[in-house]
Structure formats: structure tokens, C-alpha cells
Amino acid sequence: MFADEALDPVRVASVWRKAQQGAQQSRGCQTPAVLSDHAGVQTRFTASTSTQTEPQEQNLQQGGLGGPDPPGLVDFLKRVEDLVTKELEKNSRSHAFDGFQANWEEGSDHVSLLHSLQHPGAQEPGLHVSAVSWSCTGSVIVCAYGRTDDGDWTHQKSCVCLWNLDRRSLRPKQADLVLDVPAAVTSVCCHPKQPALIAGGLYNGEVVVWDTSRTQDPVLAQTGMSADSHREPVYQVVWVPLQKKGEFGVLSSSSGGEVLLWLVDPDQGRLVLSAAYAFVRQQVPHSSSLKTRGSSRVGVSALALSPWDPDTFLVGSEGGLLLRCSFSSGPPAAVAPDGRSVAPRAPALFCFRPAGGPVHSLHCSPFHRYRVPPPQTPGVQTLSDPTRLRRNLFISAGTDGLVRLGSLLQADPLLAVRVSDSYVFQAQWSPSRPLVFAAATGQGEVQIFDLARKSLRPAATIRDGAADRTATCLAFNGADPRLLAAGRSDGTVGVWRLSSDLTEQRAEESLRLEQIANQVAE
């Protein structure tokens, strides 16, 4: 029924494969022949040396080196044990080397220039460096620009420039940050704890706080032209610790005879007046013999805080007065109501011997302190009582060319040093040497004095350029005392490195400072 049948196969050719084979092409490439050459060198002389030490066998045992102790060592240690222990206890109670720091460097008074900073935008209109300040980290220097000579420059715009000296790409002729200011800047002060905050005083009477961490608008708070603000140029601003731990206010002084304490309100972007102090000649102690010229107000030209007593501050005036003042005491000031939200008080408690001209600078010693005896009445403490004040030293400088060393409890100066035949714009204690201070003079020099020396001649003198380039301001670096910044009238700021002799504290230096403080002026 079924049978096998063979049929011829049917083949279907692949059109795709044929097309692919037709599209294939054969190509090739070849690089030119590579040429090579061989060369060799050979030295004429050879030498071979070797060293070898004698083999040593060290048998280390648990608890120390092996081997027997030298003969008599144990007996010797037992004999001297009591004597050595007695001497060590005696040394632990001795104060012969208190304050001594070993100095392994070779002594030198050399001062070297590290950086010469300048901002062309401030130099072109002829602005001077009016103030310099270091950040709390010691890496950023803040330079304010204004004028220190006479002339009508009340509407001249100015700036505040910042340089970070730790940057690898430091550009001395281009500031890292420039803060434009609508008026001349007379004073700047960096925050003691927050490196981004800077307080500044302006010639038009305003006080401003900048926050450099804010890129859009660095102005954190300002007084503006309100009834509470200054009516005269602000000569100085400083940060003041408040009663609440960790908080600071801004203290400002002006030639209008006022010192104002401001609280920073960042939410509203303004400075709120917290306290006001006015200086009237009739309420200044022992000033009745002074000649009164024009207004009865005492123009404040210098300001300093006591590092040991938070209630005490010093004031220098345009007429040469030196006053010790108190934040917490004083009667109401004898001034007419001027619409301020806070009634001013008269804080002056004590008047030092006046200077021969306007006082440009005041600075309290960060080292000297006198122990305050406990109050006779338990639970009663009167900060305004002179016997309760810590007797720390201060220096003052002004137009008479002298730097006076004074004590808070003595009217007459302990020492007067002739620094210059011209003005002295600023004087400041060294943060590391109790007997060293620096002064910026109108002759263009920065003089550094060391009271530990027998002679009162400068231990070092910084000269930078022509004599007509006045040294207008200076500032020691608190984080790195080897650095000293000095601003000049040509708009440049020099950063200098001081030698170890000017920065390393010596043995018994604090004792010498105490001896100077205990002197009684003749």
C-alpha cells in the first residue's frame, strides 16, 4: 500500500549572504620601517667597597634586657634613693623656673618682611590704611581704608579688604574679599570667637557688623542713621563679652563724647542700643582746672578694655584726658535729651595725668594682674571701689610722640618712652612677651621696645620705604605672635615676621613687669 520514492532535492539560494559577500572589501595598511640605533657608554674606572660589623647576639627576655646587672648597681640605687626622692620633692615646690620657656634658637633681633599687601582700588583715590585686625584663627588679616589727614572727605566711598595668608595662591595685589562701604572706615575689629564676623566704625557715625560667610549680602547688622546712632565719626569699635556666656556686643566710641554698647540682632539686621555713656567736662573727676574750649563734651578718641575686670574700660580724649571708667556705676550724664532710647550715664571714675595732646591709642597689658583681696563685708562686692580694682598696666600714645606706661591705680605714669618726634598713631603690647610693645609713628617707622633691656632704645625698627609714608596702624597676631601687621598712608600693609628674641618669653620676665608696676612715680 505504501512504497518508498526518491525525489530530487530543491535548493533555495540565500540572497542576504550573497549581498553580504559582495559588500565585503579587503583593505590593509603598513607603517614605515622603524629605525633603531644602539649606543653604549663605559666608565674608565670602577671601585667596589663594603663594610661589615661584628655580629652581636642580643638575648631579649621578658621584662627587660638580659644579662646580669653591673656590679654594685643595685646597692648604689638603694643608697641614693632617699636623697633623689627628697630633691625631686623640693624641686616640685620650687618656683625658680616659673614662666621660663626654653629657647633653642639662636638669638636675633632680625625682622623680615613676609608680605606687602595692597588694593589698587583703594590706592588710586589716595585712601590710607586706617585700621588692621587679625581673625581669631590668625590666618586672615582685615584692612580698613579711610583717611588720617585733614580735608573734606566725608562723602568719599571706601572699602574693607581681607587676605587669607594661609592660601597657597595668595595674591598680594588682589584681596580675597572686598567689602564696599559708602563712607570712610575708621576702625575694624574681628570677633574674638567667630572668624567670619567683623565690626567696623565709619566716619559718618555708623557702626556695621559684617558676616563674611554670607556671599550675597555680607552686612549682618548696622545702626543706620537713627536717633540712637553716633552723630560724629566713630574712632574705635571693640567686641565686649556680655553677661550671658558666649555672647558679645559691640562697643563704639566717637568724637561726639559718647561710648555706646550695641547688641547684634541678625534677624532684623540692625544693632540695638543697650547702654549709653556720655563724657561731660563737669562730670570728669579732677578736670575743673582744664581749659574748656567750645562744647562741654569730651571727644573720645581712644578706647581700651581691661582683660581682667569686665567692668572696667579706659578712655582717651581729643584734649589729652585719660579716664578710667565703669560699665555698672555712674550717675546720669548731664546732657540734654537727644531722643535716644537709652538715657546716657557718666561712667568716669578716675582721671590720670593728661597727655600733651590728643590720645590716639590705649591698650591694657594682657599679662599683669594684681590679686584682689576679698571684700570685708561678706556677700558685698563693689566694682566701683578703687581698692577692688585689679592693678593691671596699660600704655597710651598720641600726638606728643610719647608712649606712657601707666597703672590703673596711679594718676602719674610709671614710665614715659620717647618714640618719635612726630605723632604716635597706635601702640600695642606683644601677646607673648610681657615687656615688649610696638608703636606706629608718623615718621613712617614701627618701633619695637623691650623693657627688659637696660636702654630704652628700640630693640628693632621697621622701615618700609620713604619717611613720608606714615605708619598709621599696627596689630599683633594673637594666634601667631611672630606676625606683626602695619598699615601705611600709601595704602599698603606689611606683614612682618619677628625673631625669637622678640616673641619668646624669658625667665623672670613677669617678675620684672611686677617690679615696674610697683614703682611709685616721682
Side-chain angles (χ1 to χ4, degrees):
M1 185 175 184
F2 297 97
D4 295 334
E5 185 174 358
L7 300 176
D8 296 332
V10 178
R11 301 180 180 272
V12 179
S14 175
V15 180
W16 173 83
R17 180 176 299 177
K18 185 177 181 181
Q20 288 294 106
Q21 292 178 352
Q24 291 180 354
Q25 297 180 0
S26 177
R27 295 180 181 179
C29 63
Q30 183 176 0
T31 61
V34 179
L35 302 178
S36 61
D37 193 7
H38 297 275
V41 295
Q42 183 176 2
T43 59
R44 298 182 58 184
F45 303 99
T46 60
S48 176
T49 60
S50 62
T51 60
Q52 185 176 359
T53 59
E54 294 293 333
Q56 266 186 339
E57 295 182 0
Q58 297 181 354
N59 297 324
L60 299 179
Q61 298 180 357
Q62 185 177 1
L65 295 176
D69 295 330
L73 176 61
V74 177
D75 295 337
F76 170 76
L77 294 177
K78 290 181 179 179
R79 289 197 310 269
V80 301
E81 180 181 2
D82 295 338
L83 179 60
V84 173
T85 302
K86 182 179 179 180
E87 292 298 325
L88 291 175
E89 292 177 352
K90 184 189 300 183
N91 292 340
S92 65
R93 295 190 297 268
S94 174
H95 300 282
F97 295 96
D98 287 356
F100 175 74
Q101 296 180 355
N103 180 15
W104 306 107
E105 299 181 4
E106 184 179 357
S108 172
D109 292 334
H110 181 65
V111 179
S112 58
L113 178 64
L114 294 182
H115 307 286
S116 181
L117 310 176
Q118 50 189 298
H119 180 55
Q123 291 179 301
E124 292 175 358
L127 295 179
H128 305 167
V129 181
S130 56
V132 290
S133 180
W134 293 92
S135 67
C136 58
T137 61
S139 59
V140 176
I141 182 172
V142 180
C143 308
Y145 289 89
R147 294 293 291 255
T148 56
D149 54 0
D150 297 330
D152 185 12
W153 44 277
T154 56
H155 302 291
Q156 189 172 22
K157 295 182 179 180
S158 182
C159 61
V160 175
C161 297
L162 290 80
W163 281 271
N164 188 343
L165 302 186
D166 289 343
R167 291 187 58 179
R168 292 184 178 180
S169 58
L170 176 66
R171 293 168 291 186
K173 295 186 178 181
Q174 184 175 354
D176 297 327
L177 179 62
V178 178
L179 304 174
D180 294 325
V181 186
V185 185
T186 54
S187 176
V188 289
C189 183
C190 293
H191 195 281
K193 299 295 183 181
Q194 302 182 38
L197 297 186
I198 304 170
L202 308 186
Y203 186 84
N204 61 7
E206 289 190 74
V207 179
V208 185
V209 174
W210 294 282
D211 185 354
T212 57
S213 63
R214 300 171 48 163
T215 57
Q216 298 296 332
D217 184 12
V219 177
L220 180 65
Q222 57 185 345
T223 59
M225 304 303 293
S226 64
D228 288 338
S229 60
H230 293 283
R231 275 77 165 178
E232 300 290 338
V234 177
Y235 274 132
Q236 195 166 352
V237 290
V238 291
W239 292 94
V240 182
L242 302 177
Q243 293 182 353
K244 188 174 180 180
K245 187 176 180 181
E247 293 188 356
F248 289 82
V250 179
L251 193 68
S252 60
S253 63
S254 76
S255 58
E258 302 163 332
V259 173
L260 305 180
L261 178 61
W262 306 91
L263 302 180
V264 181
D265 187 355
D267 296 332
Q268 298 185 9
R270 66 188 186 98
L271 293 172
V272 181
L273 184 62
S274 175
Y277 307 94
F279 295 86
V280 184
R281 293 186 182 274
Q282 293 80 359
Q283 293 180 306
V284 172
H286 308 295
S287 66
S288 58
S289 60
L290 298 176
K291 296 181 179 180
T292 302
R293 298 179 181 178
S295 175
S296 62
R297 291 288 187 103
V298 177
V300 180
S301 55
L303 184 68
L305 301 178
S306 171
W308 308 111
D309 189 353
D311 188 62
T312 299
F313 66 99
L314 301 179
V315 160
S317 77
E318 294 177 334
L321 289 178
L322 288 170
L323 305 174
R324 175 167 56 82
C325 309
S326 172
F327 285 112
S328 61
S329 63
V335 295
D338 52 3
R340 279 199 170 92
S341 59
V342 178
R345 303 167 66 180
L349 300 177
F350 186 77
C351 182
F352 302 95
R353 180 177 293 276
V359 179
H360 285 160
S361 177
L362 286 169
H363 192 217
C364 292
S365 171
F367 290 95
H368 181 255
R369 176 175 60 180
Y370 182 78
R371 294 184 181 273
V372 182
Q376 297 180 358
T377 305
V380 177
Q381 182 176 359
T382 306
L383 294 176
S384 60
D385 186 2
T387 61
R388 298 288 301 145
L389 288 174
R390 293 179 169 89
R391 187 183 180 185
N392 51 312
L393 303 179
F394 68 92
I395 52 177
S396 61
T399 58
D400 56 4
L402 297 174
V403 171
R404 292 176 172 84
L405 173 63
S407 169
L408 287 182
L409 298 183
Q410 185 169 306
D412 295 327
L414 302 173
L415 185 67
V417 181
R418 168 64 63 180
V419 176
S420 172
D421 295 332
S422 180
Y423 297 171
V424 178
F425 284 96
Q426 189 168 2
Q428 191 175 99
W429 289 102
S430 166
S432 59
R433 283 284 311 278
L435 294 175
V436 171
F437 67 87
T441 70
Q443 294 176 318
E445 299 175 340
V446 175
Q447 306 278 13
I448 302 176
F449 289 84
D450 187 354
L451 299 181
R453 302 190 176 191
K454 297 181 180 180
S455 174
L456 291 180
R457 295 180 179 179
T461 300
I462 297 176
R463 296 183 178 91
D464 185 15
D468 58 347
R469 297 169 57 184
T470 303
T472 55
C473 55
L474 59 83
F476 281 98
N477 190 326
D480 188 357
R482 298 172 300 173
L483 300 183
L484 173 66
R488 298 187 178 275
S489 58
D490 63 349
T492 62
V493 178
V495 179
W496 302 81
R497 181 184 296 276
L498 306 182
S499 64
S500 58
D501 274 8
L502 299 174
T503 56
E504 298 289 344
Q505 185 173 346
R506 302 174 183 176
E508 301 183 355
E509 188 167 354
S510 298
L511 178 61
R512 173 57 181 158
L513 184 67
E514 186 69 27
Q515 293 174 351
I516 295 176
N518 292 333
Q519 294 178 4
V520 177
E522 297 180 358

